[in-house]
Amino acid sequence: MLNQTLNIKRTFIGALLPFCLSMTACSSQQAVGFSVIKESIQCRIQQPTIKAISNQQDKDELIKQLSSYKNKENPSNPFAQLIMKHSETEQLFLVSQGQKNSSGYGFLVSGNEGLLIDSTLTLPISFTSPDKNSMQAQMMTSPCLVLGIDSKTQYDHLVIDSLELTISK
């Protein structure tokens, strides 16, 4: 009787184990570190977007766009050095909320790790907006973030708040 019970348990475990392994392989989860390199409220970007900064021309445009006026052409520009340093080991992205008609818009970064599920990387960043009952300066703003994600991480989709970017291979 004991042998029969052991055989039934072995058969059950033998049938269940491959199923469990296949389920975990299909929906793997991984924590992925990221860094916020720069945040600005004046990026001069009209529409909400996530843009991959994937080549030297993109980096040069980003540096020009987000550097202070006195540092735009300065070879020792601290922002340019930061971009070059991060791009050695990270894939860079520019995240924009688009143009807004007042101050008070920005980002809430809730940690420094995103969650990779299957091929979608979701970062804990949400868009913030001013309280409807608060007084805000009436000025055009365009909040943005420059992010770095480990370049060894493989994913097909990047999700930040309501924006999603499909990564082209």
mmCIF file of all heavy atoms in Angstrom, residues 84-127:
data_model
loop_
_atom_site.group_PDB
_atom_site.id
_atom_site.type_symbol
_atom_site.label_atom_id
_atom_site.label_comp_id
_atom_site.label_asym_id
_atom_site.label_seq_id
_atom_site.Cartn_x
_atom_site.Cartn_y
_atom_site.Cartn_z
ATOM 1 N N MET A 84 27.547 60.999 -21.784
ATOM 2 C CA MET A 84 28.555 60.088 -22.335
ATOM 3 C C MET A 84 28.906 58.976 -21.349
ATOM 4 O O MET A 84 29.053 57.811 -21.735
ATOM 5 C CB MET A 84 29.805 60.850 -22.759
ATOM 6 C CG MET A 84 29.570 61.791 -23.913
ATOM 7 S SD MET A 84 28.741 60.949 -25.286
ATOM 8 C CE MET A 84 28.219 62.325 -26.258
ATOM 9 N N LYS A 85 29.003 59.318 -20.076
ATOM 10 C CA LYS A 85 29.323 58.320 -19.043
ATOM 11 C C LYS A 85 28.214 57.269 -18.963
ATOM 12 O O LYS A 85 28.479 56.068 -18.970
ATOM 13 C CB LYS A 85 29.523 59.008 -17.701
ATOM 14 C CG LYS A 85 29.792 58.060 -16.549
ATOM 15 C CD LYS A 85 29.953 58.816 -15.247
ATOM 16 C CE LYS A 85 30.023 57.889 -14.080
ATOM 17 N NZ LYS A 85 28.823 57.827 -13.297
ATOM 18 N N HIS A 86 26.970 57.722 -18.867
ATOM 19 C CA HIS A 86 25.848 56.784 -18.743
ATOM 20 C C HIS A 86 25.675 55.941 -20.000
ATOM 21 O O HIS A 86 25.278 54.778 -19.915
ATOM 22 C CB HIS A 86 24.552 57.534 -18.423
ATOM 23 C CG HIS A 86 24.406 57.868 -16.982
ATOM 24 N ND1 HIS A 86 23.827 57.017 -16.064
ATOM 25 C CD2 HIS A 86 24.780 58.960 -16.279
ATOM 26 C CE1 HIS A 86 23.836 57.563 -14.867
ATOM 27 N NE2 HIS A 86 24.411 58.751 -14.966
ATOM 28 N N SER A 87 25.939 56.512 -21.167
ATOM 29 C CA SER A 87 25.716 55.771 -22.418
ATOM 30 C C SER A 87 26.728 54.642 -22.626
ATOM 31 O O SER A 87 26.535 53.803 -23.492
ATOM 32 C CB SER A 87 25.714 56.722 -23.611
ATOM 33 O OG SER A 87 26.988 57.275 -23.816
ATOM 34 N N GLU A 88 27.775 54.596 -21.822
ATOM 35 C CA GLU A 88 28.745 53.500 -21.921
ATOM 36 C C GLU A 88 28.129 52.174 -21.483
ATOM 37 O O GLU A 88 28.468 51.122 -22.023
ATOM 38 C CB GLU A 88 29.980 53.796 -21.071
ATOM 39 C CG GLU A 88 30.824 54.931 -21.611
ATOM 40 C CD GLU A 88 31.939 55.343 -20.664
ATOM 41 O OE1 GLU A 88 32.110 54.703 -19.592
ATOM 42 O OE2 GLU A 88 32.650 56.314 -20.989
ATOM 43 N N THR A 89 27.217 52.220 -20.508
ATOM 44 C CA THR A 89 26.640 50.978 -19.965
ATOM 45 C C THR A 89 25.114 50.953 -19.995
ATOM 46 O O THR A 89 24.518 49.937 -19.634
ATOM 47 C CB THR A 89 27.077 50.787 -18.500
ATOM 48 O OG1 THR A 89 26.669 51.924 -17.734
ATOM 49 C CG2 THR A 89 28.586 50.589 -18.403
ATOM 50 N N GLU A 90 24.491 52.054 -20.399
ATOM 51 C CA GLU A 90 23.028 52.134 -20.369
ATOM 52 C C GLU A 90 22.471 52.576 -21.718
ATOM 53 O O GLU A 90 23.116 53.320 -22.440
ATOM 54 C CB GLU A 90 22.566 53.141 -19.308
ATOM 55 C CG GLU A 90 22.949 52.764 -17.894
ATOM 56 C CD GLU A 90 22.595 53.855 -16.891
ATOM 57 O OE1 GLU A 90 22.750 55.040 -17.202
ATOM 58 O OE2 GLU A 90 22.161 53.492 -15.805
ATOM 59 N N GLN A 91 21.253 52.110 -22.004
ATOM 60 C CA GLN A 91 20.491 52.627 -23.126
ATOM 61 C C GLN A 91 19.755 53.858 -22.590
ATOM 62 O O GLN A 91 19.116 53.791 -21.547
ATOM 63 C CB GLN A 91 19.484 51.585 -23.625
ATOM 64 C CG GLN A 91 18.454 52.119 -24.593
ATOM 65 C CD GLN A 91 19.051 52.619 -25.892
ATOM 66 O OE1 GLN A 91 19.755 51.888 -26.568
ATOM 67 N NE2 GLN A 91 18.767 53.857 -26.243
ATOM 68 N N LEU A 92 19.862 54.979 -23.291
ATOM 69 C CA LEU A 92 19.252 56.225 -22.826
ATOM 70 C C LEU A 92 17.890 56.448 -23.481
ATOM 71 O O LEU A 92 17.684 56.099 -24.643
ATOM 72 C CB LEU A 92 20.173 57.405 -23.136
ATOM 73 C CG LEU A 92 21.600 57.313 -22.599
ATOM 74 C CD1 LEU A 92 22.391 58.561 -22.975
ATOM 75 C CD2 LEU A 92 21.609 57.098 -21.103
ATOM 76 N N PHE A 93 16.997 57.068 -22.704
ATOM 77 C CA PHE A 93 15.667 57.405 -23.193
ATOM 78 C C PHE A 93 15.294 58.801 -22.724
ATOM 79 O O PHE A 93 15.637 59.201 -21.615
ATOM 80 C CB PHE A 93 14.617 56.422 -22.657
ATOM 81 C CG PHE A 93 14.786 55.031 -23.171
ATOM 82 C CD1 PHE A 93 15.543 54.102 -22.482
ATOM 83 C CD2 PHE A 93 14.195 54.648 -24.369
ATOM 84 C CE1 PHE A 93 15.722 52.825 -22.957
ATOM 85 C CE2 PHE A 93 14.359 53.362 -24.863
ATOM 86 C CZ PHE A 93 15.125 52.450 -24.155
ATOM 87 N N LEU A 94 14.576 59.519 -23.572
ATOM 88 C CA LEU A 94 14.009 60.815 -23.227
ATOM 89 C C LEU A 94 12.510 60.608 -23.082
ATOM 90 O O LEU A 94 11.857 60.119 -24.009
ATOM 91 C CB LEU A 94 14.311 61.843 -24.324
ATOM 92 C CG LEU A 94 13.696 63.226 -24.148
ATOM 93 C CD1 LEU A 94 14.255 63.910 -22.899
ATOM 94 C CD2 LEU A 94 13.965 64.080 -25.376
ATOM 95 N N VAL A 95 11.973 60.943 -21.920
ATOM 96 C CA VAL A 95 10.546 60.797 -21.644
ATOM 97 C C VAL A 95 9.966 62.189 -21.469
ATOM 98 O O VAL A 95 10.460 62.964 -20.651
ATOM 99 C CB VAL A 95 10.300 59.980 -20.353
ATOM 100 C CG1 VAL A 95 8.814 59.813 -20.096
ATOM 101 C CG2 VAL A 95 11.006 58.642 -20.425
ATOM 102 N N SER A 96 8.932 62.512 -22.248
ATOM 103 C CA SER A 96 8.344 63.844 -22.182
ATOM 104 C C SER A 96 6.841 63.768 -21.919
ATOM 105 O O SER A 96 6.163 62.888 -22.443
ATOM 106 C CB SER A 96 8.578 64.581 -23.509
ATOM 107 O OG SER A 96 7.823 65.772 -23.547
ATOM 108 N N GLN A 97 6.352 64.731 -21.138
ATOM 109 C CA GLN A 97 4.910 64.859 -20.927
ATOM 110 C C GLN A 97 4.271 65.725 -22.005
ATOM 111 O O GLN A 97 3.058 65.850 -22.050
ATOM 112 C CB GLN A 97 4.619 65.490 -19.565
ATOM 113 C CG GLN A 97 4.779 64.570 -18.415
ATOM 114 C CD GLN A 97 4.142 65.154 -17.169
ATOM 115 O OE1 GLN A 97 3.077 65.749 -17.199
ATOM 116 N NE2 GLN A 97 4.811 64.977 -16.050
ATOM 117 N N GLY A 98 5.072 66.347 -22.845
ATOM 118 C CA GLY A 98 4.528 67.255 -23.845
ATOM 119 C C GLY A 98 4.350 68.646 -23.252
ATOM 120 O O GLY A 98 4.664 68.904 -22.088
ATOM 121 N N GLN A 99 3.841 69.552 -24.070
ATOM 122 C CA GLN A 99 3.700 70.944 -23.647
ATOM 123 C C GLN A 99 2.509 71.118 -22.703
ATOM 124 O O GLN A 99 1.422 70.598 -22.950
ATOM 125 C CB GLN A 99 3.522 71.837 -24.866
ATOM 126 C CG GLN A 99 3.652 73.300 -24.553
ATOM 127 C CD GLN A 99 3.726 74.131 -25.821
ATOM 128 O OE1 GLN A 99 3.126 73.795 -26.833
ATOM 129 N NE2 GLN A 99 4.466 75.209 -25.756
ATOM 130 N N LYS A 100 2.722 71.852 -21.634
ATOM 131 C CA LYS A 100 1.690 72.136 -20.622
ATOM 132 C C LYS A 100 1.549 73.649 -20.498
ATOM 133 O O LYS A 100 2.477 74.401 -20.757
ATOM 134 C CB LYS A 100 2.083 71.536 -19.262
ATOM 135 C CG LYS A 100 2.330 70.046 -19.300
ATOM 136 C CD LYS A 100 1.085 69.292 -19.656
ATOM 137 C CE LYS A 100 1.312 67.794 -19.670
ATOM 138 N NZ LYS A 100 0.168 67.060 -20.172
ATOM 139 N N ASN A 101 0.369 74.105 -20.066
ATOM 140 C CA ASN A 101 0.102 75.551 -20.024
ATOM 141 C C ASN A 101 0.345 76.205 -18.666
ATOM 142 O O ASN A 101 0.014 77.365 -18.477
ATOM 143 C CB ASN A 101 -1.318 75.838 -20.505
ATOM 144 C CG ASN A 101 -2.360 75.169 -19.637
ATOM 145 O OD1 ASN A 101 -2.027 74.544 -18.640
ATOM 146 N ND2 ASN A 101 -3.611 75.286 -20.039
ATOM 147 N N SER A 102 0.939 75.457 -17.736
ATOM 148 C CA SER A 102 1.272 76.058 -16.439
ATOM 149 C C SER A 102 2.394 75.266 -15.787
ATOM 150 O O SER A 102 2.772 74.192 -16.251
ATOM 151 C CB SER A 102 0.047 76.078 -15.509
ATOM 152 O OG SER A 102 -0.242 74.774 -15.051
ATOM 153 N N SER A 103 2.892 75.792 -14.687
ATOM 154 C CA SER A 103 3.890 75.066 -13.906
ATOM 155 C C SER A 103 3.176 73.996 -13.082
ATOM 156 O O SER A 103 1.951 73.919 -13.082
ATOM 157 C CB SER A 103 4.651 76.038 -13.009
ATOM 158 O OG SER A 103 3.759 76.615 -12.081
ATOM 159 N N GLY A 104 3.931 73.184 -12.379
ATOM 160 C CA GLY A 104 3.341 72.187 -11.496
ATOM 161 C C GLY A 104 3.308 70.779 -12.065
ATOM 162 O O GLY A 104 2.921 69.844 -11.376
ATOM 163 N N TYR A 105 3.700 70.606 -13.317
ATOM 164 C CA TYR A 105 3.750 69.274 -13.921
ATOM 165 C C TYR A 105 5.137 68.690 -13.722
ATOM 166 O O TYR A 105 6.126 69.401 -13.740
ATOM 167 C CB TYR A 105 3.417 69.340 -15.413
ATOM 168 C CG TYR A 105 1.987 69.706 -15.678
ATOM 169 C CD1 TYR A 105 1.603 71.038 -15.779
ATOM 170 C CD2 TYR A 105 1.014 68.719 -15.802
ATOM 171 C CE1 TYR A 105 0.278 71.378 -16.007
ATOM 172 C CE2 TYR A 105 -0.306 69.057 -16.033
ATOM 173 C CZ TYR A 105 -0.668 70.391 -16.133
ATOM 174 O OH TYR A 105 -1.979 70.723 -16.354
ATOM 175 N N GLY A 106 5.196 67.387 -13.559
ATOM 176 C CA GLY A 106 6.487 66.746 -13.368
ATOM 177 C C GLY A 106 6.356 65.242 -13.333
ATOM 178 O O GLY A 106 5.435 64.667 -13.936
ATOM 179 N N PHE A 107 7.253 64.610 -12.593
ATOM 180 C CA PHE A 107 7.311 63.156 -12.529
ATOM 181 C C PHE A 107 7.462 62.708 -11.087
ATOM 182 O O PHE A 107 8.118 63.374 -10.298
ATOM 183 C CB PHE A 107 8.514 62.631 -13.317
ATOM 184 C CG PHE A 107 8.475 63.002 -14.775
ATOM 185 C CD1 PHE A 107 9.065 64.180 -15.209
ATOM 186 C CD2 PHE A 107 7.846 62.194 -15.696
ATOM 187 C CE1 PHE A 107 9.035 64.534 -16.537
ATOM 188 C CE2 PHE A 107 7.807 62.542 -17.036
ATOM 189 C CZ PHE A 107 8.401 63.715 -17.455
ATOM 190 N N LEU A 108 6.864 61.591 -10.757
ATOM 191 C CA LEU A 108 7.053 60.949 -9.463
ATOM 192 C C LEU A 108 7.767 59.630 -9.734
ATOM 193 O O LEU A 108 7.204 58.731 -10.371
ATOM 194 C CB LEU A 108 5.718 60.702 -8.767
ATOM 195 C CG LEU A 108 5.791 59.960 -7.431
ATOM 196 C CD1 LEU A 108 6.604 60.761 -6.417
ATOM 197 C CD2 LEU A 108 4.411 59.673 -6.905
ATOM 198 N N VAL A 109 9.017 59.547 -9.301
ATOM 199 C CA VAL A 109 9.819 58.339 -9.485
ATOM 200 C C VAL A 109 9.765 57.561 -8.177
ATOM 201 O O VAL A 109 10.234 58.032 -7.158
ATOM 202 C CB VAL A 109 11.275 58.695 -9.867
ATOM 203 C CG1 VAL A 109 12.099 57.431 -10.062
ATOM 204 C CG2 VAL A 109 11.307 59.570 -11.117
ATOM 205 N N SER A 110 9.176 56.367 -8.221
ATOM 206 C CA SER A 110 8.956 55.562 -7.015
ATOM 207 C C SER A 110 9.947 54.406 -6.953
ATOM 208 O O SER A 110 9.563 53.242 -7.014
ATOM 209 C CB SER A 110 7.529 55.029 -6.999
ATOM 210 O OG SER A 110 6.609 56.065 -7.093
ATOM 211 N N GLY A 111 11.213 54.714 -6.865
ATOM 212 C CA GLY A 111 12.231 53.678 -6.768
ATOM 213 C C GLY A 111 13.185 53.736 -7.940
ATOM 214 O O GLY A 111 13.059 54.578 -8.824
ATOM 215 N N ASN A 112 14.145 52.820 -7.944
ATOM 216 C CA ASN A 112 15.140 52.790 -9.014
ATOM 217 C C ASN A 112 15.189 51.444 -9.723
ATOM 218 O O ASN A 112 16.170 51.106 -10.360
ATOM 219 C CB ASN A 112 16.524 53.167 -8.482
ATOM 220 C CG ASN A 112 16.999 52.221 -7.410
ATOM 221 O OD1 ASN A 112 16.292 51.295 -7.010
ATOM 222 N ND2 ASN A 112 18.211 52.433 -6.927
ATOM 223 N N GLU A 113 14.098 50.667 -9.592
ATOM 224 C CA GLU A 113 13.994 49.397 -10.293
ATOM 225 C C GLU A 113 12.649 49.282 -10.976
ATOM 226 O O GLU A 113 11.611 49.564 -10.378
ATOM 227 C CB GLU A 113 14.157 48.216 -9.326
ATOM 228 C CG GLU A 113 15.564 48.011 -8.854
ATOM 229 C CD GLU A 113 15.729 46.722 -8.064
ATOM 230 O OE1 GLU A 113 14.730 46.199 -7.524
ATOM 231 O OE2 GLU A 113 16.864 46.244 -7.986
ATOM 232 N N GLY A 114 12.701 48.874 -12.232
ATOM 233 C CA GLY A 114 11.483 48.584 -12.974
ATOM 234 C C GLY A 114 11.208 47.094 -12.913
ATOM 235 O O GLY A 114 12.011 46.315 -12.384
ATOM 236 N N LEU A 115 10.068 46.689 -13.475
ATOM 237 C CA LEU A 115 9.687 45.286 -13.471
ATOM 238 C C LEU A 115 9.585 44.799 -14.911
ATOM 239 O O LEU A 115 8.820 45.353 -15.709
ATOM 240 C CB LEU A 115 8.347 45.104 -12.747
ATOM 241 C CG LEU A 115 7.882 43.672 -12.526
ATOM 242 C CD1 LEU A 115 8.908 42.885 -11.712
ATOM 243 C CD2 LEU A 115 6.542 43.660 -11.826
ATOM 244 N N LEU A 116 10.379 43.799 -15.230
ATOM 245 C CA LEU A 116 10.365 43.183 -16.553
ATOM 246 C C LEU A 116 9.529 41.918 -16.466
ATOM 247 O O LEU A 116 9.889 40.974 -15.756
ATOM 248 C CB LEU A 116 11.797 42.857 -17.001
ATOM 249 C CG LEU A 116 11.962 42.176 -18.353
ATOM 250 C CD1 LEU A 116 11.425 43.040 -19.481
ATOM 251 C CD2 LEU A 116 13.431 41.850 -18.601
ATOM 252 N N ILE A 117 8.389 41.916 -17.158
ATOM 253 C CA ILE A 117 7.519 40.751 -17.230
ATOM 254 C C ILE A 117 7.418 40.382 -18.695
ATOM 255 O O ILE A 117 6.981 41.181 -19.519
ATOM 256 C CB ILE A 117 6.121 41.032 -16.641
ATOM 257 C CG1 ILE A 117 6.235 41.428 -15.172
ATOM 258 C CG2 ILE A 117 5.214 39.807 -16.800
ATOM 259 C CD1 ILE A 117 4.932 41.829 -14.530
ATOM 260 N N ASP A 118 7.824 39.142 -18.980
ATOM 261 C CA ASP A 118 7.951 38.677 -20.358
ATOM 262 C C ASP A 118 8.864 39.646 -21.092
ATOM 263 O O ASP A 118 10.008 39.778 -20.747
ATOM 264 C CB ASP A 118 6.582 38.500 -21.015
ATOM 265 C CG ASP A 118 5.756 37.412 -20.306
ATOM 266 O OD1 ASP A 118 6.357 36.450 -19.792
ATOM 267 O OD2 ASP A 118 4.529 37.531 -20.267
ATOM 268 N N SER A 119 8.377 40.394 -22.048
ATOM 269 C CA SER A 119 9.252 41.307 -22.794
ATOM 270 C C SER A 119 8.867 42.769 -22.592
ATOM 271 O O SER A 119 9.244 43.625 -23.373
ATOM 272 C CB SER A 119 9.219 40.954 -24.281
ATOM 273 O OG SER A 119 7.919 41.141 -24.790
ATOM 274 N N THR A 120 8.090 43.050 -21.539
ATOM 275 C CA THR A 120 7.659 44.421 -21.258
ATOM 276 C C THR A 120 8.302 44.923 -19.978
ATOM 277 O O THR A 120 8.141 44.319 -18.912
ATOM 278 C CB THR A 120 6.125 44.500 -21.139
ATOM 279 O OG1 THR A 120 5.552 44.058 -22.373
ATOM 280 C CG2 THR A 120 5.660 45.921 -20.846
ATOM 281 N N LEU A 121 9.031 46.031 -20.086
ATOM 282 C CA LEU A 121 9.669 46.667 -18.939
ATOM 283 C C LEU A 121 8.818 47.854 -18.515
ATOM 284 O O LEU A 121 8.596 48.774 -19.299
ATOM 285 C CB LEU A 121 11.083 47.134 -19.296
ATOM 286 C CG LEU A 121 11.852 47.880 -18.209
ATOM 287 C CD1 LEU A 121 11.990 47.038 -16.937
ATOM 288 C CD2 LEU A 121 13.222 48.298 -18.725
ATOM 289 N N THR A 122 8.315 47.807 -17.288
ATOM 290 C CA THR A 122 7.493 48.885 -16.743
ATOM 291 C C THR A 122 8.277 49.574 -15.636
ATOM 292 O O THR A 122 8.737 48.925 -14.694
ATOM 293 C CB THR A 122 6.165 48.337 -16.182
ATOM 294 O OG1 THR A 122 5.492 47.622 -17.228
ATOM 295 C CG2 THR A 122 5.270 49.471 -15.684
ATOM 296 N N LEU A 123 8.439 50.899 -15.780
ATOM 297 C CA LEU A 123 9.188 51.660 -14.785
ATOM 298 C C LEU A 123 8.225 52.343 -13.815
ATOM 299 O O LEU A 123 7.159 52.805 -14.221
ATOM 300 C CB LEU A 123 10.074 52.700 -15.466
ATOM 301 C CG LEU A 123 11.128 52.154 -16.426
ATOM 302 C CD1 LEU A 123 11.999 53.289 -16.963
ATOM 303 C CD2 LEU A 123 11.994 51.097 -15.767
ATOM 304 N N PRO A 124 8.607 52.441 -12.525
ATOM 305 C CA PRO A 124 7.735 53.041 -11.513
ATOM 306 C C PRO A 124 7.796 54.574 -11.550
ATOM 307 O O PRO A 124 8.223 55.220 -10.603
ATOM 308 C CB PRO A 124 8.292 52.480 -10.205
ATOM 309 C CG PRO A 124 9.756 52.350 -10.478
ATOM 310 C CD PRO A 124 9.844 51.937 -11.927
ATOM 311 N N ILE A 125 7.389 55.130 -12.671
ATOM 312 C CA ILE A 125 7.401 56.575 -12.863
ATOM 313 C C ILE A 125 6.001 56.984 -13.277
ATOM 314 O O ILE A 125 5.424 56.395 -14.196
ATOM 315 C CB ILE A 125 8.402 56.983 -13.968
ATOM 316 C CG1 ILE A 125 9.819 56.557 -13.583
ATOM 317 C CG2 ILE A 125 8.333 58.481 -14.230
ATOM 318 C CD1 ILE A 125 10.838 56.738 -14.690
ATOM 319 N N SER A 126 5.453 57.968 -12.589
ATOM 320 C CA SER A 126 4.133 58.462 -12.982
ATOM 321 C C SER A 126 4.203 59.963 -13.225
ATOM 322 O O SER A 126 5.048 60.658 -12.673
ATOM 323 C CB SER A 126 3.084 58.127 -11.919
ATOM 324 O OG SER A 126 3.488 58.577 -10.657
ATOM 325 N N PHE A 127 3.325 60.413 -14.090
ATOM 326 C CA PHE A 127 3.245 61.836 -14.400
ATOM 327 C C PHE A 127 2.474 62.526 -13.282
ATOM 328 O O PHE A 127 1.489 62.000 -12.780
ATOM 329 C CB PHE A 127 2.506 62.075 -15.718
ATOM 330 C CG PHE A 127 3.196 61.485 -16.921
ATOM 331 C CD1 PHE A 127 2.525 61.369 -18.114
ATOM 332 C CD2 PHE A 127 4.514 61.062 -16.876
ATOM 333 C CE1 PHE A 127 3.142 60.842 -19.240
ATOM 334 C CE2 PHE A 127 5.147 60.542 -17.990
ATOM 335 C CZ PHE A 127 4.449 60.427 -19.175
#
